[in-house]
Amino acid sequence: MPWMFLWHNRSTEMTDDHEAAEGKDHKKKTKITGTELKNILMSVVPHIEPAVISNPNSKHEMLSVEEVTQWSQSLAMLLSTQCGQDAFREFLKSEFSDENIDFWLACEDYKKTQSDHLYDKAVKIYKEFVQSDAIKQINIDFHTRKATARKTQNPTPSSFDEAQKIVYVLMEKDSYPRFLKSRFYLNRLSKVQCNSLK
């Protein structure tokens, strides 16, 4: 294989250069400390903070204990803040059910849409979440799916209300109780409690 010969030639050149640089004195070795090695590696590979990995927005650091505690009062309280929505979405992603919050939020946005844009948004929501082969298909019964499809043809601000209510109840009864016991919630609560003691 040609690349093997290229690699071999390149490694030989590197060895020759290295020997020439040291004057072929093999007893002379340079020690690299752990810190120096870390700095060399850091210059080659960009450093990623653990907080950025776990939460790209890192918004939970600015939350108060009261805000995070209120999330445990009801799903409505959790979804009333952007940080709550982000935390819940992270959790739902871990359970492969983030289409539920995405649909619910799309419906909330849809209700505020001006009448001349309703049709376009309704079609988009229907295609993304409701139709039988939707990419992020929500878990609703056949009759609701059919009724929603009909309402999409002549949309009003309440076209998705029935489907949205089903998805909300599903999140409230199923996902939300598990969220409150999950690391996604407990870690945030612990972090804001620690920050409040500083």
Side-chain angles (χ1 to χ4, degrees):
M1 293 183 178
W3 60 269
M4 289 180 77
F5 295 113
L6 289 171
W7 175 256
H8 177 71
N9 291 342
R10 180 156 176 91
S11 3
T12 307
E13 287 169 14
M14 287 172 67
T15 307
D16 293 344
D17 290 346
H18 181 66
E19 286 175 358
E22 287 191 2
K24 297 190 179 181
D25 182 10
H26 296 292
K27 292 179 184 175
K28 190 177 182 183
K29 296 198 179 197
T30 309
K31 286 189 176 180
I32 298 176
T33 65
T35 308
E36 289 171 331
L37 180 61
K38 182 181 173 185
N39 291 337
I40 292 167
L41 291 172
M42 295 289 279
S43 68
V44 178
V45 180
H47 184 57
I48 301 171
E49 291 294 333
V52 175
I53 296 170
S54 63
N55 181 10
N57 301 321
S58 299
K59 291 175 183 174
H60 64 275
E61 292 175 11
M62 299 177 286
L63 293 170
S64 69
V65 176
E66 291 75 25
E67 283 176 283
V68 178
T69 305
Q70 283 175 353
W71 294 355
S72 66
Q73 292 175 10
S74 68
L75 179 59
M77 290 297 289
L78 174 63
L79 297 177
S80 68
T81 67
Q82 184 64 52
C83 292
Q85 292 169 15
D86 293 343
F88 195 45
R89 179 183 280 111
E90 272 187 74
F91 169 72
L92 291 176
K93 270 187 183 175
S94 76
E95 293 202 333
F96 305 101
S97 60
D98 52 315
E99 71 278 355
N100 291 327
I101 190 168
D102 290 342
F103 173 71
W104 187 84
L105 290 169
C107 291
E108 288 297 291
D109 177 63
Y110 173 79
K111 290 174 189 175
K112 301 170 194 165
T113 305
Q114 294 178 356
S115 56
D116 53 334
H117 296 292
L118 277 179
Y119 182 78
D120 291 338
K121 269 198 182 178
V123 169
K124 185 179 177 188
I125 292 170
Y126 177 77
K127 285 183 177 178
E128 190 173 357
F129 299 102
V130 182
Q131 72 181 15
S132 55
D133 60 344
I135 297 168
K136 294 182 171 184
Q137 187 186 47
I138 52 169
N139 187 11
I140 54 175
D141 61 90
F142 171 77
H143 297 295
T144 306
R145 198 176 302 282
K146 195 171 180 181
T148 306
R150 195 170 50 249
K151 291 174 186 174
T152 305
Q153 298 305 312
N154 192 18
T156 66
S158 61
S159 293
F160 294 98
D161 283 3
E162 191 181 349
Q164 186 186 22
K165 185 178 178 183
I166 290 170
V167 167
Y168 183 87
V169 170
L170 182 67
M171 291 192 296
E172 185 176 43
K173 303 288 184 202
D174 188 41
S175 306
Y176 176 64
R178 285 199 305 277
F179 167 76
L180 294 178
K181 296 174 186 173
S182 75
R183 64 183 174 86
F184 295 91
Y185 176 66
L186 297 175
N187 286 356
R188 279 174 173 78
L189 183 59
S190 173
K191 188 174 182 80
V192 293
Q193 286 171 337
C194 288
N195 286 346
S196 70
L197 297 174
K198 290 178 183 176

